[in-house]
Amino acid sequence: MNSPEPLLTDHLSNHQLTNALPCRIGSRSLIRNEKDEILLGQSRLLPESDQLLTWDLPGGWAQPGEEPRAACRRTIREAFGVSVDPIDLLLLHWQPPQDGAAEEHTYVWNAPRLPSRTAFQLADDEVVQARFVPRNQLTAYVPDSVVERIDAARESLGRGRPDYLASRAAS
């Protein structure tokens, strides 16, 4: 009788398995209009709060076991009230754990263009505003790490192949 194959985790201690930091999977889309402006959504970091607003590309977090492209499609439909089918992967962005938060792996997808006058049906509990923003005004809306993500995705789009971006830990 053959012994069972060892599990890949057999070499790890119980402490290593139960104390591993979680990983969050994000999935966002680079959605542009006819003027090449980039769609951003302003959302609440804490849904029950009127404070702590942040801007980012449309999308959100994948649920456990959810495929990233499907997560992107779902979160945009839920938050913006429009159906967007992500086309191609542009970027995988890794961010290390910091300030007690888990490390993040964010997929950024190319999406079909939307007209400037698209009527979004925003989810009041999530997204409070949506707007197309020219590239030269991004820094007025998003932190440097998101500008870096958007620029890397746009460069990938121009090259016609996906790319990888690793952010450094905050010092």
PDB file of all heavy atoms in Angstrom, residues 85-110:
ATOM      1  N   ASP A  85     -17.551  44.943 -19.453  1.00  0.00           N
ATOM      2  CA  ASP A  85     -16.891  43.658 -19.568  1.00  0.00           C
ATOM      3  C   ASP A  85     -15.395  43.893 -19.764  1.00  0.00           C
ATOM      4  O   ASP A  85     -14.966  44.303 -20.842  1.00  0.00           O
ATOM      5  CB  ASP A  85     -17.471  42.864 -20.742  1.00  0.00           C
ATOM      6  CG  ASP A  85     -17.083  41.405 -20.682  1.00  0.00           C
ATOM      7  OD1 ASP A  85     -16.741  40.913 -19.588  1.00  0.00           O
ATOM      8  OD2 ASP A  85     -17.122  40.749 -21.735  1.00  0.00           O
ATOM      9  N   PRO A  86     -14.585  43.662 -18.722  1.00  0.00           N
ATOM     10  CA  PRO A  86     -13.140  43.853 -18.871  1.00  0.00           C
ATOM     11  C   PRO A  86     -12.605  43.018 -20.029  1.00  0.00           C
ATOM     12  O   PRO A  86     -12.993  41.865 -20.204  1.00  0.00           O
ATOM     13  CB  PRO A  86     -12.584  43.357 -17.535  1.00  0.00           C
ATOM     14  CG  PRO A  86     -13.731  43.449 -16.587  1.00  0.00           C
ATOM     15  CD  PRO A  86     -14.959  43.182 -17.401  1.00  0.00           C
ATOM     16  N   ILE A  87     -11.718  43.626 -20.820  1.00  0.00           N
ATOM     17  CA  ILE A  87     -11.227  42.978 -22.039  1.00  0.00           C
ATOM     18  C   ILE A  87      -9.939  42.208 -21.774  1.00  0.00           C
ATOM     19  O   ILE A  87      -9.919  40.993 -21.794  1.00  0.00           O
ATOM     20  CB  ILE A  87     -11.000  44.031 -23.150  1.00  0.00           C
ATOM     21  CG1 ILE A  87     -12.285  44.804 -23.426  1.00  0.00           C
ATOM     22  CG2 ILE A  87     -10.476  43.372 -24.415  1.00  0.00           C
ATOM     23  CD1 ILE A  87     -12.086  46.028 -24.290  1.00  0.00           C
ATOM     24  N   ASP A  88      -8.869  42.934 -21.542  1.00  0.00           N
ATOM     25  CA  ASP A  88      -7.548  42.328 -21.401  1.00  0.00           C
ATOM     26  C   ASP A  88      -6.914  42.766 -20.095  1.00  0.00           C
ATOM     27  O   ASP A  88      -7.097  43.905 -19.655  1.00  0.00           O
ATOM     28  CB  ASP A  88      -6.620  42.781 -22.536  1.00  0.00           C
ATOM     29  CG  ASP A  88      -7.103  42.358 -23.900  1.00  0.00           C
ATOM     30  OD1 ASP A  88      -7.446  41.180 -24.052  1.00  0.00           O
ATOM     31  OD2 ASP A  88      -7.140  43.215 -24.802  1.00  0.00           O
ATOM     32  N   LEU A  89      -6.111  41.888 -19.524  1.00  0.00           N
ATOM     33  CA  LEU A  89      -5.336  42.239 -18.348  1.00  0.00           C
ATOM     34  C   LEU A  89      -4.228  43.196 -18.761  1.00  0.00           C
ATOM     35  O   LEU A  89      -3.488  42.933 -19.708  1.00  0.00           O
ATOM     36  CB  LEU A  89      -4.735  40.983 -17.706  1.00  0.00           C
ATOM     37  CG  LEU A  89      -3.888  41.231 -16.468  1.00  0.00           C
ATOM     38  CD1 LEU A  89      -4.737  41.797 -15.328  1.00  0.00           C
ATOM     39  CD2 LEU A  89      -3.203  39.941 -16.041  1.00  0.00           C
ATOM     40  N   LEU A  90      -4.154  44.322 -18.072  1.00  0.00           N
ATOM     41  CA  LEU A  90      -3.099  45.297 -18.328  1.00  0.00           C
ATOM     42  C   LEU A  90      -1.973  45.188 -17.311  1.00  0.00           C
ATOM     43  O   LEU A  90      -0.807  45.358 -17.649  1.00  0.00           O
ATOM     44  CB  LEU A  90      -3.664  46.723 -18.280  1.00  0.00           C
ATOM     45  CG  LEU A  90      -4.686  47.088 -19.336  1.00  0.00           C
ATOM     46  CD1 LEU A  90      -5.237  48.491 -19.074  1.00  0.00           C
ATOM     47  CD2 LEU A  90      -4.070  46.988 -20.720  1.00  0.00           C
ATOM     48  N   LEU A  91      -2.342  44.923 -16.053  1.00  0.00           N
ATOM     49  CA  LEU A  91      -1.356  45.054 -14.989  1.00  0.00           C
ATOM     50  C   LEU A  91      -1.739  44.196 -13.796  1.00  0.00           C
ATOM     51  O   LEU A  91      -2.916  44.090 -13.454  1.00  0.00           O
ATOM     52  CB  LEU A  91      -1.312  46.527 -14.550  1.00  0.00           C
ATOM     53  CG  LEU A  91      -0.310  46.921 -13.479  1.00  0.00           C
ATOM     54  CD1 LEU A  91       1.109  46.907 -14.044  1.00  0.00           C
ATOM     55  CD2 LEU A  91      -0.634  48.321 -12.960  1.00  0.00           C
ATOM     56  N   LEU A  92      -0.727  43.616 -13.161  1.00  0.00           N
ATOM     57  CA  LEU A  92      -0.884  43.035 -11.838  1.00  0.00           C
ATOM     58  C   LEU A  92      -0.030  43.888 -10.913  1.00  0.00           C
ATOM     59  O   LEU A  92       1.177  44.014 -11.117  1.00  0.00           O
ATOM     60  CB  LEU A  92      -0.447  41.575 -11.802  1.00  0.00           C
ATOM     61  CG  LEU A  92      -0.525  40.912 -10.435  1.00  0.00           C
ATOM     62  CD1 LEU A  92      -1.927  40.985  -9.841  1.00  0.00           C
ATOM     63  CD2 LEU A  92      -0.046  39.473 -10.506  1.00  0.00           C
ATOM     64  N   HIS A  93      -0.671  44.501  -9.920  1.00  0.00           N
ATOM     65  CA  HIS A  93       0.004  45.414  -9.005  1.00  0.00           C
ATOM     66  C   HIS A  93       0.050  44.787  -7.619  1.00  0.00           C
ATOM     67  O   HIS A  93      -0.983  44.519  -7.017  1.00  0.00           O
ATOM     68  CB  HIS A  93      -0.762  46.745  -8.962  1.00  0.00           C
ATOM     69  CG  HIS A  93      -0.131  47.783  -8.100  1.00  0.00           C
ATOM     70  ND1 HIS A  93      -0.816  48.896  -7.690  1.00  0.00           N
ATOM     71  CD2 HIS A  93       1.116  47.903  -7.572  1.00  0.00           C
ATOM     72  CE1 HIS A  93      -0.032  49.652  -6.950  1.00  0.00           C
ATOM     73  NE2 HIS A  93       1.153  49.062  -6.862  1.00  0.00           N
ATOM     74  N   TRP A  94       1.268  44.549  -7.116  1.00  0.00           N
ATOM     75  CA  TRP A  94       1.465  44.004  -5.779  1.00  0.00           C
ATOM     76  C   TRP A  94       1.825  45.123  -4.824  1.00  0.00           C
ATOM     77  O   TRP A  94       2.673  45.963  -5.136  1.00  0.00           O
ATOM     78  CB  TRP A  94       2.581  42.961  -5.794  1.00  0.00           C
ATOM     79  CG  TRP A  94       2.893  42.440  -4.417  1.00  0.00           C
ATOM     80  CD1 TRP A  94       2.200  41.494  -3.733  1.00  0.00           C
ATOM     81  CD2 TRP A  94       3.958  42.855  -3.572  1.00  0.00           C
ATOM     82  NE1 TRP A  94       2.774  41.288  -2.501  1.00  0.00           N
ATOM     83  CE2 TRP A  94       3.856  42.122  -2.375  1.00  0.00           C
ATOM     84  CE3 TRP A  94       4.984  43.793  -3.694  1.00  0.00           C
ATOM     85  CZ2 TRP A  94       4.749  42.279  -1.321  1.00  0.00           C
ATOM     86  CZ3 TRP A  94       5.868  43.959  -2.645  1.00  0.00           C
ATOM     87  CH2 TRP A  94       5.747  43.192  -1.465  1.00  0.00           C
ATOM     88  N   GLN A  95       1.147  45.135  -3.686  1.00  0.00           N
ATOM     89  CA  GLN A  95       1.465  46.094  -2.628  1.00  0.00           C
ATOM     90  C   GLN A  95       1.720  45.323  -1.345  1.00  0.00           C
ATOM     91  O   GLN A  95       0.918  44.460  -0.958  1.00  0.00           O
ATOM     92  CB  GLN A  95       0.321  47.089  -2.436  1.00  0.00           C
ATOM     93  CG  GLN A  95       0.138  47.979  -3.659  1.00  0.00           C
ATOM     94  CD  GLN A  95      -1.027  48.923  -3.500  1.00  0.00           C
ATOM     95  OE1 GLN A  95      -2.162  48.531  -3.702  1.00  0.00           O
ATOM     96  NE2 GLN A  95      -0.728  50.148  -3.142  1.00  0.00           N
ATOM     97  N   PRO A  96       2.830  45.616  -0.665  1.00  0.00           N
ATOM     98  CA  PRO A  96       3.172  44.863   0.549  1.00  0.00           C
ATOM     99  C   PRO A  96       2.225  45.203   1.697  1.00  0.00           C
ATOM    100  O   PRO A  96       1.547  46.224   1.670  1.00  0.00           O
ATOM    101  CB  PRO A  96       4.598  45.342   0.854  1.00  0.00           C
ATOM    102  CG  PRO A  96       4.653  46.723   0.286  1.00  0.00           C
ATOM    103  CD  PRO A  96       3.781  46.683  -0.948  1.00  0.00           C
ATOM    104  N   PRO A  97       2.188  44.344   2.712  1.00  0.00           N
ATOM    105  CA  PRO A  97       1.382  44.682   3.880  1.00  0.00           C
ATOM    106  C   PRO A  97       1.953  45.928   4.550  1.00  0.00           C
ATOM    107  O   PRO A  97       3.165  46.121   4.588  1.00  0.00           O
ATOM    108  CB  PRO A  97       1.527  43.458   4.790  1.00  0.00           C
ATOM    109  CG  PRO A  97       2.577  42.598   4.209  1.00  0.00           C
ATOM    110  CD  PRO A  97       2.900  43.097   2.848  1.00  0.00           C
ATOM    111  N   GLN A  98       1.062  46.769   5.030  1.00  0.00           N
ATOM    112  CA  GLN A  98       1.507  47.960   5.760  1.00  0.00           C
ATOM    113  C   GLN A  98       0.397  48.450   6.681  1.00  0.00           C
ATOM    114  O   GLN A  98      -0.774  48.256   6.393  1.00  0.00           O
ATOM    115  CB  GLN A  98       1.964  49.060   4.811  1.00  0.00           C
ATOM    116  CG  GLN A  98       0.984  49.450   3.740  1.00  0.00           C
ATOM    117  CD  GLN A  98       1.623  50.372   2.716  1.00  0.00           C
ATOM    118  OE1 GLN A  98       2.687  50.913   2.936  1.00  0.00           O
ATOM    119  NE2 GLN A  98       0.975  50.545   1.596  1.00  0.00           N
ATOM    120  N   ASP A  99       0.798  49.038   7.767  1.00  0.00           N
ATOM    121  CA  ASP A  99      -0.132  49.583   8.761  1.00  0.00           C
ATOM    122  C   ASP A  99      -1.177  48.553   9.187  1.00  0.00           C
ATOM    123  O   ASP A  99      -2.355  48.878   9.345  1.00  0.00           O
ATOM    124  CB  ASP A  99      -0.819  50.840   8.224  1.00  0.00           C
ATOM    125  CG  ASP A  99       0.162  51.947   7.878  1.00  0.00           C
ATOM    126  OD1 ASP A  99       1.198  52.042   8.566  1.00  0.00           O
ATOM    127  OD2 ASP A  99      -0.099  52.689   6.921  1.00  0.00           O
ATOM    128  N   GLY A 100      -0.767  47.305   9.328  1.00  0.00           N
ATOM    129  CA  GLY A 100      -1.675  46.263   9.779  1.00  0.00           C
ATOM    130  C   GLY A 100      -2.588  45.704   8.705  1.00  0.00           C
ATOM    131  O   GLY A 100      -3.357  44.784   8.963  1.00  0.00           O
ATOM    132  N   ALA A 101      -2.527  46.266   7.502  1.00  0.00           N
ATOM    133  CA  ALA A 101      -3.371  45.776   6.403  1.00  0.00           C
ATOM    134  C   ALA A 101      -2.656  44.643   5.673  1.00  0.00           C
ATOM    135  O   ALA A 101      -1.429  44.574   5.642  1.00  0.00           O
ATOM    136  CB  ALA A 101      -3.687  46.910   5.434  1.00  0.00           C
ATOM    137  N   ALA A 102      -3.436  43.776   5.071  1.00  0.00           N
ATOM    138  CA  ALA A 102      -2.895  42.644   4.319  1.00  0.00           C
ATOM    139  C   ALA A 102      -2.210  43.118   3.043  1.00  0.00           C
ATOM    140  O   ALA A 102      -2.483  44.208   2.540  1.00  0.00           O
ATOM    141  CB  ALA A 102      -4.034  41.693   3.963  1.00  0.00           C
ATOM    142  N   GLU A 103      -1.334  42.278   2.512  1.00  0.00           N
ATOM    143  CA  GLU A 103      -0.769  42.582   1.205  1.00  0.00           C
ATOM    144  C   GLU A 103      -1.890  42.535   0.170  1.00  0.00           C
ATOM    145  O   GLU A 103      -2.909  41.878   0.379  1.00  0.00           O
ATOM    146  CB  GLU A 103       0.366  41.635   0.839  1.00  0.00           C
ATOM    147  CG  GLU A 103      -0.042  40.259   0.413  1.00  0.00           C
ATOM    148  CD  GLU A 103       1.165  39.404   0.074  1.00  0.00           C
ATOM    149  OE1 GLU A 103       1.947  39.068   0.979  1.00  0.00           O
ATOM    150  OE2 GLU A 103       1.309  39.060  -1.112  1.00  0.00           O
ATOM    151  N   GLU A 104      -1.696  43.259  -0.920  1.00  0.00           N
ATOM    152  CA  GLU A 104      -2.723  43.339  -1.954  1.00  0.00           C
ATOM    153  C   GLU A 104      -2.155  42.956  -3.308  1.00  0.00           C
ATOM    154  O   GLU A 104      -1.030  43.313  -3.648  1.00  0.00           O
ATOM    155  CB  GLU A 104      -3.277  44.769  -2.044  1.00  0.00           C
ATOM    156  CG  GLU A 104      -3.961  45.239  -0.797  1.00  0.00           C
ATOM    157  CD  GLU A 104      -4.412  46.691  -0.872  1.00  0.00           C
ATOM    158  OE1 GLU A 104      -4.349  47.293  -1.971  1.00  0.00           O
ATOM    159  OE2 GLU A 104      -4.816  47.216   0.167  1.00  0.00           O
ATOM    160  N   HIS A 105      -2.965  42.241  -4.062  1.00  0.00           N
ATOM    161  CA  HIS A 105      -2.683  41.920  -5.465  1.00  0.00           C
ATOM    162  C   HIS A 105      -3.865  42.499  -6.239  1.00  0.00           C
ATOM    163  O   HIS A 105      -4.983  42.008  -6.105  1.00  0.00           O
ATOM    164  CB  HIS A 105      -2.595  40.412  -5.688  1.00  0.00           C
ATOM    165  CG  HIS A 105      -1.505  39.764  -4.897  1.00  0.00           C
ATOM    166  ND1 HIS A 105      -0.295  39.424  -5.448  1.00  0.00           N
ATOM    167  CD2 HIS A 105      -1.432  39.414  -3.597  1.00  0.00           C
ATOM    168  CE1 HIS A 105       0.470  38.880  -4.521  1.00  0.00           C
ATOM    169  NE2 HIS A 105      -0.192  38.857  -3.383  1.00  0.00           N
ATOM    170  N   THR A 106      -3.608  43.540  -7.018  1.00  0.00           N
ATOM    171  CA  THR A 106      -4.687  44.191  -7.753  1.00  0.00           C
ATOM    172  C   THR A 106      -4.496  43.985  -9.245  1.00  0.00           C
ATOM    173  O   THR A 106      -3.461  44.342  -9.802  1.00  0.00           O
ATOM    174  CB  THR A 106      -4.755  45.703  -7.435  1.00  0.00           C
ATOM    175  OG1 THR A 106      -4.944  45.861  -6.029  1.00  0.00           O
ATOM    176  CG2 THR A 106      -5.892  46.369  -8.185  1.00  0.00           C
ATOM    177  N   TYR A 107      -5.509  43.395  -9.861  1.00  0.00           N
ATOM    178  CA  TYR A 107      -5.548  43.225 -11.310  1.00  0.00           C
ATOM    179  C   TYR A 107      -6.161  44.484 -11.908  1.00  0.00           C
ATOM    180  O   TYR A 107      -7.174  44.976 -11.414  1.00  0.00           O
ATOM    181  CB  TYR A 107      -6.423  42.030 -11.699  1.00  0.00           C
ATOM    182  CG  TYR A 107      -5.885  40.704 -11.243  1.00  0.00           C
ATOM    183  CD1 TYR A 107      -6.063  40.269  -9.929  1.00  0.00           C
ATOM    184  CD2 TYR A 107      -5.207  39.878 -12.138  1.00  0.00           C
ATOM    185  CE1 TYR A 107      -5.570  39.037  -9.521  1.00  0.00           C
ATOM    186  CE2 TYR A 107      -4.713  38.649 -11.726  1.00  0.00           C
ATOM    187  CZ  TYR A 107      -4.899  38.236 -10.414  1.00  0.00           C
ATOM    188  OH  TYR A 107      -4.409  37.020 -10.018  1.00  0.00           O
ATOM    189  N   VAL A 108      -5.556  45.004 -12.968  1.00  0.00           N
ATOM    190  CA  VAL A 108      -6.119  46.153 -13.685  1.00  0.00           C
ATOM    191  C   VAL A 108      -6.386  45.714 -15.117  1.00  0.00           C
ATOM    192  O   VAL A 108      -5.480  45.247 -15.816  1.00  0.00           O
ATOM    193  CB  VAL A 108      -5.180  47.384 -13.661  1.00  0.00           C
ATOM    194  CG1 VAL A 108      -5.810  48.547 -14.404  1.00  0.00           C
ATOM    195  CG2 VAL A 108      -4.845  47.780 -12.223  1.00  0.00           C
ATOM    196  N   TRP A 109      -7.642  45.861 -15.534  1.00  0.00           N
ATOM    197  CA  TRP A 109      -8.109  45.402 -16.841  1.00  0.00           C
ATOM    198  C   TRP A 109      -8.388  46.577 -17.759  1.00  0.00           C
ATOM    199  O   TRP A 109      -8.834  47.634 -17.306  1.00  0.00           O
ATOM    200  CB  TRP A 109      -9.416  44.616 -16.684  1.00  0.00           C
ATOM    201  CG  TRP A 109      -9.333  43.503 -15.710  1.00  0.00           C
ATOM    202  CD1 TRP A 109      -9.605  43.555 -14.371  1.00  0.00           C
ATOM    203  CD2 TRP A 109      -8.932  42.160 -15.971  1.00  0.00           C
ATOM    204  NE1 TRP A 109      -9.403  42.324 -13.798  1.00  0.00           N
ATOM    205  CE2 TRP A 109      -8.994  41.449 -14.760  1.00  0.00           C
ATOM    206  CE3 TRP A 109      -8.539  41.492 -17.123  1.00  0.00           C
ATOM    207  CZ2 TRP A 109      -8.665  40.105 -14.664  1.00  0.00           C
ATOM    208  CZ3 TRP A 109      -8.215  40.146 -17.032  1.00  0.00           C
ATOM    209  CH2 TRP A 109      -8.272  39.467 -15.813  1.00  0.00           C
ATOM    210  N   ASN A 110      -8.175  46.384 -19.034  1.00  0.00           N
ATOM    211  CA  ASN A 110      -8.638  47.334 -20.029  1.00  0.00           C
ATOM    212  C   ASN A 110     -10.140  47.103 -20.190  1.00  0.00           C
ATOM    213  O   ASN A 110     -10.608  45.974 -20.097  1.00  0.00           O
ATOM    214  CB  ASN A 110      -7.922  47.106 -21.364  1.00  0.00           C
ATOM    215  CG  ASN A 110      -8.276  48.139 -22.396  1.00  0.00           C
ATOM    216  OD1 ASN A 110      -8.661  49.254 -22.068  1.00  0.00           O
ATOM    217  ND2 ASN A 110      -8.151  47.774 -23.656  1.00  0.00           N
TER     218      ASN A 110
END
